[in-house]
């Protein structure tokens, strides 16, 4: 069966650092149409990458249901991450393409069966949501769409540990917003629970498809022998966990250095 080369879509706020620019360049180099959604103009957006209005996908005011903004209107702590968890599902409902986080470096093109989900194990029992495709009629999309109709945004698939944490916080007089209990409550944990509920686990790709260096950022940022990674046909891309290093210059002899030389923005 012929698999399709999908469009790539993502969401971003603020300037794009060199790491994200490099990753977006790699997605273009793999032959994909790439679109970054935003509420404001994006400084540093690479040539060839499209920019679309995020408001048309998920209104800005939805962020206030996660938590109130700062007095100056800026988003607090986890708001951007959790907003993007919902945003990517809205893109799936609109058949916009495959979601890739802006820090996913592609080593080869992504090809999908548009009728089937596409994602990969991030670790032992958790699916990552930095690379996600769902057909618009998929029940996982429907579950998120139903959740977004609720005022409290409390999922019916919430894990026991999250329910206990949430209950204890309410009893102690803490925040009554579920979004405050953990940054990833609507992210990989939710995707994993729903994939299990709806029989989607058979579609999950092996961990190394996209997460070969995710938990070990030194393997990307520090000098190393990375030849086995870039030559492995089973590694489609790399989701990178920058941990504050995205704006630092690449270290010579590192995988990041190799990627910046091959895909990175060129000086004028």
């Amino acid at each position: 069966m012929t698999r399709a080369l999908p469009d790539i879509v993502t969401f971003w706020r603020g300037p794009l650092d060199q790491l994200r620019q490099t990753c977006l360049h790699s997605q273009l180099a793999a032959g994909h149409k790439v679109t970054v959604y935003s509420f404001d103009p994006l400084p540093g957006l690479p040539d060839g990458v499209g920019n679309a209005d995020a408001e048309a996908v998920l209104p800005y005011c939805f962020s206030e249901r996660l938590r109130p903004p700062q007095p100056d209107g800026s988003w607090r702590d986890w708001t951007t991450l959790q907003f993007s968890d919902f945003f990517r599902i809205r893109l799936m409902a609109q058949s916009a393409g495959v979601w890739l986080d802006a820090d996913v470096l592609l080593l080869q093109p992504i090809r999908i069966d548009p009728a089937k989900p596409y994602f990969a194990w991030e670790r032992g029992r958790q699916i990552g949501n930095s690379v996600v495709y769902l057909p618009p009629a998929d029940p996982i999309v429907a579950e998120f769409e139903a959740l977004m109709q609720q005022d409290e945004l409390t999922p019916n698939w919430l894990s026991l540990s999250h329910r206990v944490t949430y209950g204890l916080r309410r009893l102690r007089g803490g925040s009554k917003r579920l979004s405050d209990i953990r940054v990833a409550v609507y992210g990989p944990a939710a995707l994993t629970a729903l994939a299990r509920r709806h029989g989607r686990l058979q579609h999950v790709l092996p961990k190394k498809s996209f997460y070969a260096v995710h938990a070990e950022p030194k393997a990307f940022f520090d000098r190393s022998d990375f030849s086995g990674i870039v030559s492995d046909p089973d590694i489609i891309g790399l989701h990178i966990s920058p941990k504050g290093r995205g704006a630092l210059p690449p270290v010579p002899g590192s995988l990041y250095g190799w990627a910046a030389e091959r895909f990175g923005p060129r000086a004028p």
Side-chain angles (χ1 to χ4, degrees):
M1 181 185 64
T2 302
R3 289 178 170 263
L5 185 75
D7 293 349
I8 289 174
V9 289
T10 197
F11 169 80
W12 191 258
R13 296 202 77 203
L16 289 154
D17 57 29
Q18 183 179 353
L19 172 64
R20 273 75 180 195
Q21 292 174 336
T22 299
C23 289
L24 291 172
H25 274 289
S26 76
Q27 296 167 19
L28 286 175
H32 294 275
K33 178 184 176 183
V34 182
T35 301
V36 180
Y37 289 78
S38 65
F39 289 110
D40 302 301
L42 288 175
L45 190 68
D47 290 342
V49 175
N51 187 204
D53 182 15
E55 187 74 18
V57 177
L58 185 60
Y60 186 92
C61 62
F62 183 81
S63 66
E64 297 176 5
R65 296 172 60 191
L66 294 167
R67 61 187 51 78
Q70 301 279 12
D72 64 359
S74 61
W75 287 355
R76 299 176 184 269
D77 43 68
W78 300 342
T79 303
T80 300
L81 292 173
Q82 292 180 339
F83 185 90
S84 74
D85 290 335
F86 288 95
F87 195 91
R88 71 196 71 195
I89 301 299
R90 287 296 302 139
L91 288 171
M92 299 301 103
Q94 296 180 11
S95 300
V98 170
W99 169 282
L100 261 63
D101 281 3
D103 51 10
V104 172
L105 184 83
L106 274 192
L107 301 180
Q108 56 179 294
I110 290 175
R111 297 192 180 276
I112 66 167
D113 177 347
K116 297 178 180 178
Y118 185 92
F119 33 45
W121 291 110
E122 180 181 308
R123 53 178 184 259
R125 296 185 176 181
Q126 182 165 284
I127 300 170
N129 73 340
S130 56
V131 179
V132 175
Y133 169 77
L134 294 166
D138 193 272
I140 296 176
V141 175
E143 293 261 23
F144 262 91
E145 294 278 86
L147 173 64
M148 293 171 69
Q149 302 306 311
Q150 296 182 17
D151 291 334
E152 294 186 351
L153 297 176
T154 302
N156 62 26
W157 61 82
L158 201 62
S159 70
L160 178 60
S161 63
H162 284 165
R163 290 180 186 278
V164 170
T165 300
Y166 183 44
L168 289 175
R169 180 169 293 199
R170 290 174 66 97
L171 286 173
R172 293 167 181 166
S175 171
K176 292 181 171 60
R177 290 188 302 271
L178 177 71
S179 56
D180 284 336
I181 71 168
R182 188 148 325 161
V183 62
V185 68
Y186 303 115
L191 182 60
T192 306
L194 290 174
R196 183 173 291 111
R197 172 184 289 181
H198 294 291
R200 297 297 186 262
L201 295 184
Q202 73 267 29
H203 300 297
V204 187
L205 297 170
K207 174 183 173 181
K208 75 172 182 175
S209 299
F210 288 100
Y211 296 97
V213 302
H214 171 73
E216 301 175 7
K218 288 185 176 181
F220 183 78
F221 290 103
D222 293 352
R223 185 181 180 89
S224 65
D225 178 6
F226 52 83
S227 58
I229 293 176
V230 298
S231 64
D232 190 332
D234 294 328
I235 296 179
I236 302 166
L238 302 169
H239 179 239
I240 299 140
S241 181
K243 303 201 180 297
R245 301 175 70 170
L248 298 177
V251 173
S254 67
L255 180 49
Y256 184 18
W258 173 86
E261 177 66 24
R262 180 165 181 172
F263 303 115
R266 303 293 188 263

